[in-house]
Amino acid sequence: MAGSESDESLMGLVAQGDQRAFRILMGRHMTLAIRVAQRVVGNVAEADDIGQDAFLRVWSRAASFDPRVARFTTWLYRVVLNLALDRARKPSHEPIDEAAEIRSDDPEPVTLMIEDEKRGMIAAAMATLPERQRAAVVLFHMEGLSGRDAAQAMSSAKRHSSRCWSGRARR
Amino acid sequence: MTLEEFRRLADTWGGDIERWPAPRHGEARRHAATEEGASILADAQRLDALLARGPDVTPERAGRVAFAVVQRIAAEDEGGLRHLAWLVPNWRPPNWLMPAAGVACSALIGISLATMMPYRQLDEPTSVLSAILDTGSMATSWVTR
């Protein structure tokens, strides 16, 4: 039953205070929220905090969600991005955690080091980008959203704005 | 479309031509069929793959964060006990639970205090003396004098 309900119909129930629907939504999308947050802020602990705050907003502002305007995931992306960009604006001296992460299933240590170095360079380059460019790269290139969905998640009025931003940032 | 334009589009949109603006698909595919074009796309695809590798978010980590959300919501509401129902669906704390829990806590505190007391009441004076010496309650200088 839980698997067959759409995110949008679950959000309708959450707006009425249905805790079961809220738990299902968290089970489905908490990973996404944390991952996107970590890609923007580059810090594990902050990403976890943003994941928490994002779903607190889902709970408290469910009534403002309109499925005719956007899919739930687009709305969630927007909530997470807003929170992450707010945090990114604050000065921080935390190290970029993602750069140091090593995946245990990689075969060759040398390949691992090269990959890790490249990822470190990407993370460092991401950290230097203006926030909207960073958000665009995260959504379009990292999360694989279409230009339209990325623009919608970024609350952009113009359909093509996120494409321009992401293209500029990638270069 | 020149090769330089093709390269710029690959830099902007990545190595998957399907994600490029639709009007450019035809020309882009023609470039992609050439050796140089294929090489440009391959470079872009390598970067795509690197960008797509996200941070590992384990289900356990996501579960911990979700649990923290539940705790925060429960804490923000009055009568947090009724929100234990989040953990056990369809469960509601009965009315007698709060007084019973109070009595149980008092009993536990009483028992733990009793077992932590250093001395028990002893019958003989010598037992009292040895108990004091054994527990080191008397200063060493008293004993050596």
Side-chain angles (χ1 to χ4, degrees):
Chain A
M1 289 290 279
S4 62
E5 290 172 280
S6 73
D7 293 341
E8 289 73 26
S9 64
L10 287 170
M11 273 302 281
L13 296 171
V14 172
Q16 295 164 25
D18 188 321
Q19 298 165 357
R20 181 196 65 92
F22 183 63
R23 283 199 307 272
I24 294 170
L25 278 176
M26 279 205 294
R28 283 184 192 171
H29 299 296
M30 183 58 88
T31 305
L32 176 151
I34 297 171
R35 189 182 66 232
V36 171
Q38 192 168 330
R39 279 174 153 159
V40 176
V41 298
N43 179 287
V44 172
E46 283 200 62
D48 287 357
D49 288 348
I50 291 166
Q52 277 188 42
D53 291 345
F55 272 93
L56 282 172
R57 285 198 184 182
V58 169
W59 174 249
S60 62
R61 300 184 189 178
S64 69
F65 170 73
D66 185 351
R68 291 166 301 179
V69 175
R71 291 197 304 271
F72 170 73
T73 46
T74 307
W75 191 71
L76 181 63
Y77 272 122
R78 188 181 303 170
V79 170
V80 172
L81 277 180
N82 283 338
L83 290 166
L85 293 175
D86 279 349
R87 295 229 178 190
R89 280 184 206 120
K90 294 173 189 165
S92 168
H93 303 289
E94 293 292 319
I96 295 169
D97 298 329
E98 193 183 340
E101 276 185 20
I102 294 175
R103 291 162 69 105
S104 59
D105 55 349
D106 284 327
E108 295 287 333
V110 177
T111 312
L112 241 179
M113 285 173 63
I114 294 169
E115 285 273 298
D116 198 41
E117 192 178 345
K118 285 180 182 171
R119 292 173 71 201
M121 287 167 68
I122 287 174
M126 286 285 288
T128 65
L129 288 177
E131 57 189 40
R132 283 187 65 78
Q133 286 188 13
R134 201 185 316 175
V137 171
V138 167
L139 294 180
F140 186 81
H141 293 293
M142 295 181 165
E143 291 293 313
L145 266 65
S146 69
R148 183 181 179 178
D149 286 345
Q152 203 175 18
M154 291 173 68
S155 304
S156 177
K158 291 181 183 175
R159 182 178 169 180
H160 296 287
S161 66
S162 85
R163 295 178 178 179
C164 299
W165 282 112
S166 69
R168 213 174 296 165
R170 190 177 158 109
R171 278 182 231 138
Chain B
M1 181 191 293
T2 65
L3 191 64
E4 198 48 45
E5 279 179 286
F6 180 81
R7 187 191 306 277
R8 203 164 49 243
L9 284 166
D11 283 347
T12 303
W13 299 96
D16 181 3
I17 291 175
E18 293 305 311
R19 303 191 76 205
W20 294 17
R24 316 306 298 270
H25 285 180
E27 286 178 288
R29 286 199 192 94
R30 276 193 289 281
H31 273 294
T34 67
E35 193 176 333
E36 278 179 306
S39 168
I40 290 168
L41 274 191
D43 280 347
Q45 283 162 2
R46 272 193 288 276
L47 180 56
D48 288 345
L50 213 55
L51 289 171
R53 282 185 63 171
D56 290 330
V57 181
T58 61
E60 291 76 23
R61 182 179 164 197
R64 276 197 304 275
V65 176
F67 184 69
V69 173
V70 172
Q71 284 183 312
R72 282 175 65 180
I73 291 173
E76 283 171 11
D77 288 349
E78 286 182 2
L81 209 99
R82 66 191 162 86
H83 287 278
L84 287 175
W86 284 71
L87 307 176
V88 187
N90 303 322
W91 182 80
R92 295 285 179 278
N95 292 333
W96 51 262
L97 186 60
M98 282 301 286
V103 170
C105 284
S106 303
L108 275 175
I109 291 169
I111 291 167
S112 60
L113 279 176
T115 54
M116 284 165 61
M117 294 285 281
Y119 307 120
R120 293 176 181 210
Q121 187 138 14
L122 298 171
D123 297 333
E124 298 173 22
T126 51
S127 306
V128 174
L129 188 60
S130 59
I132 293 170
L133 290 172
D134 288 346
T135 54
S137 298
M138 183 180 281
T140 320
S141 56
W142 288 22
V143 179
T144 50
R145 256 180 223 163

